[in-house]
Amino acid sequence: MTTPEQPDALPFVAPCRTVPALAAFGWLRLGWADLRRAPRQSLCYGLVMALMSYAITALTWWWGDLGLYLGLLSGFVFVGPWLALTLYAISIRLDRGEPVGLLRSLADARQQLGNAMVFAMILTVVFLVWARAATILHVFFPDSSARSLHDLAWFLGIGSAVGALFCAIIFAASAFSLPMLMDRKVDTVTAVVTSVNAVLRNKPAMAVWAAVIVACVLVGVLTAYLAFIVLLPLLGHATWHAYRQTIDTARWPPVRESAPAHPHFE
């Protein structure tokens, strides 16, 4: 029987598998199966995420850019990773045939809260640099007295390119890192580097996955965030299965051993 390697013998990055370009749709099917097996627990977190979206919108409406930044930092950067961990915890328990419950998923996620906060600080740095870049770009906004369609198109094109760059950085860093932190005894840096490496080695599949995420976000916005109650838990569960199919973590010890229990729900 093989045992996990000691931490000092582990590589800096976990190896990844090559997945098909349309693997995202298989991940969605598996995520939907998890959601159907634990609907109450999953939809509770979806409701929290939808309410958080309303709160960020309200802060932006009342306080403008300051409210937007505060809302994104508190909700997206700090609360978001923790809520994602709870969804991964549900999927882990379903995979292992263990009891599933709200309190159990919260307890599982709390064990990795420290690593999640380190990841949140990394996101904070990226977010602050992004905000600074957006401020600099506004300096080049065309003057209202001599504004032309060409100038506006040039400004919007540059702004969109910069925004897409930062979105790509966040996507690459977070695609597989949080599920890995939830599943294995690994440091945050290794999880982030593993995620970036896997994204770069599976560009077609990850481009499709990113497009699916963007489409779900657009549907959520068009439905006044109501669709987020279902779509965000679905994406969370699907992300867990994406990680399981893509990242080879056999050399890292699990966070906890599976318990010999039959699945039931609370």
Side-chain angles (χ1 to χ4, degrees), residues 11-173:
F12 185 61
V13 58
C16 68
R17 307 178 185 93
T18 301
V19 296
L22 300 181
F25 299 103
W27 302 337
L28 287 174
R29 284 193 294 272
L30 293 171
W32 180 251
D34 282 357
L35 195 154
R36 291 185 62 184
R37 292 172 67 191
R40 181 167 59 89
Q41 296 85 353
S42 300
L43 294 179
C44 279
Y45 293 122
L47 179 61
V48 171
M49 294 176 189
L51 292 175
M52 192 168 64
S53 299
Y54 286 121
I56 293 174
T57 301
L59 287 173
T60 305
W61 179 268
W62 290 329
W63 294 344
D65 289 345
L66 176 61
L68 175 62
Y69 295 154
L70 290 176
L72 288 177
L73 279 174
S74 61
F76 170 72
V77 175
F78 288 99
V79 180
W82 182 66
L83 290 175
L85 290 179
T86 60
L87 290 169
Y88 306 149
I90 292 173
S91 288
I92 290 173
R93 286 184 169 272
L94 289 173
D95 282 352
R96 295 177 174 179
E98 297 177 354
V100 176
L102 289 173
L103 294 180
R104 285 188 171 93
S105 63
L106 288 171
D108 292 345
R110 187 168 59 245
Q111 296 177 12
Q112 297 303 312
L113 192 57
N115 283 328
M117 289 303 98
V118 173
F119 179 78
M121 293 306 299
I122 295 174
L123 286 185
T124 300
V125 172
V126 176
F127 177 80
L128 292 176
V129 175
W130 188 353
R132 182 59 177 170
T135 302
I136 294 174
L137 283 175
H138 273 86
V139 175
F140 300 97
F141 190 79
D143 184 81
S144 58
S145 61
R147 185 181 302 168
S148 67
L149 183 60
H150 178 269
D151 293 335
L152 281 174
W154 183 254
F155 171 78
L156 292 174
I158 295 177
S160 299
V162 172
L165 174 62
F166 281 98
C167 284
I169 292 173
I170 293 175
F171 174 73

